[in-house]
């Protein structure tokens, strides 16, 4: 009878869980999201364009050094017009050039060489040309890619792509 009164006890199993794999996975996920977060940050250059009016182009403007500026206007039919300085007071008058090593590349090399000499005389030898690329609505994507290739070939490190045209630049593009 004594046996009937004894409770039957079940054997208890160990409830220990090995968390090593879960810790490894969580560290990998943390590293993954940190890397993705760092790579997804936009990499942009701060470009401050002065707010100038066309009626009084120099009033209230804080222009960068126009001796270092070259503007490249792109239009349809592979038309390229370049000028150095400001359109209101160009250092080199606007002229039409062609693509290739004897056209735009030669002009960019020569202008960059002059600007590097100018900057070296001012005590800043590493500052070269700042190219402003202005594709018109009539130019195609291939022309923009070609100009960016020429910029890279000529080792010009500072450039921007702008879609704003002054009235004088519109007249230059309209001239045949």
């Amino acid at each position: 009878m004594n046996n009937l009164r004894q409770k039957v006890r079940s054997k208890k199993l160990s409830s220990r869980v090995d968390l090593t794999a879960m810790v490894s996975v969580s560290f990998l996920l943390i590293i993954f999201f940190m890397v993705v977060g760092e790579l997804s940050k936009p990499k942009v250059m701060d470009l401050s364009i002065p707010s100038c009016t066309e009626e009084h182009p120099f009033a209230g403007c804080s222009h960068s050094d126009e001796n270092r500026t070259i503007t490249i206007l792109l239009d349809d039919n592979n038309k390229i017009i370049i000028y150095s300085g400001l359109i209101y007071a160009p250092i080199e008058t606007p002229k039409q050039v062609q693509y290739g090593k004897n056209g735009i590349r030669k002009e960019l090399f020569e202008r960059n060489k002059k600007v590097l000499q100018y900057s070296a005389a001012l005590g800043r030898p590493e500052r070269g040309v700042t190219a402003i690329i202005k594709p018109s609505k009539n130019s195609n994507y291939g022309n923009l890619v070609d100009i960016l290739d020429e910029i890279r070939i000529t080792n010009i490190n500072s450039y921007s792509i702008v879609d704003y045209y002054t009235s004088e630049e519109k007249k230059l593009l309209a001239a045949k």
Side-chain angles (χ1 to χ4, degrees):
M1 271 245 305
N2 210 3
N3 278 344
L4 290 176
R5 288 188 176 179
Q6 280 185 340
K7 292 184 181 179
V8 178
R9 298 205 176 219
S10 63
K11 186 177 181 183
K12 296 205 176 195
L13 298 174
S14 173
S15 61
R16 185 170 181 266
V17 177
D18 187 15
L19 298 176
T20 306
M22 191 165 65
V23 169
S24 298
V25 168
S26 58
F27 276 118
L28 285 173
L29 284 173
I30 289 170
I31 291 170
F32 172 76
F33 285 115
M34 287 174 61
V35 169
V36 167
E38 187 63 31
L39 292 178
S40 66
K41 290 181 183 175
K43 308 282 190 256
V44 295
M45 178 177 67
D46 185 29
L47 176 65
S48 59
I49 299 173
S51 59
C52 302
T53 61
E54 289 191 30
E55 297 83 28
H56 303 287
F58 297 111
C61 293
S62 57
H63 291 288
S64 62
D65 189 359
E66 62 268 6
N67 293 319
R68 292 182 48 236
T69 304
I70 187 166
T71 304
I72 305 168
L73 306 174
L74 303 177
D75 204 12
D76 61 345
N77 298 326
N78 296 331
K79 183 178 180 181
I80 306 172
I81 297 175
I82 64 168
Y83 65 90
S84 297
L86 303 174
I87 190 69
Y88 305 104
I91 295 169
E92 292 179 6
T93 57
K95 61 181 169 182
Q96 186 171 346
V97 295
Q98 299 296 319
Y99 287 97
K101 67 178 182 176
N102 292 325
I104 186 68
R105 189 178 308 167
K106 181 180 175 185
E107 295 290 331
L108 290 174
F109 269 128
E110 289 174 3
R111 185 68 194 147
N112 198 25
K113 183 179 175 183
K114 288 179 186 177
V115 168
L116 287 172
Q117 290 172 350
Y118 165 78
S119 295
L122 293 177
R124 296 183 233 144
E126 71 280 351
R127 298 186 71 189
V129 168
T130 299
I132 300 173
I133 304 167
K134 295 186 175 186
S136 72
K137 292 181 180 176
N138 298 329
S139 67
N140 59 36
Y141 184 72
N143 290 347
L144 181 62
V145 171
D146 291 342
I147 285 296
L148 291 175
D149 287 342
E150 296 294 340
I151 294 281
R152 176 64 70 196
I153 290 169
T154 56
N155 293 324
I156 295 175
N157 296 324
S158 178
Y159 65 91
S160 64
I161 302 170
V162 181
D163 63 352
Y164 172 75
Y165 284 93
T166 63
S167 59
E168 286 82 7
E169 289 171 338
K170 289 176 186 175
K171 290 176 190 173
L172 278 174
L173 289 175
K176 296 290 178 183

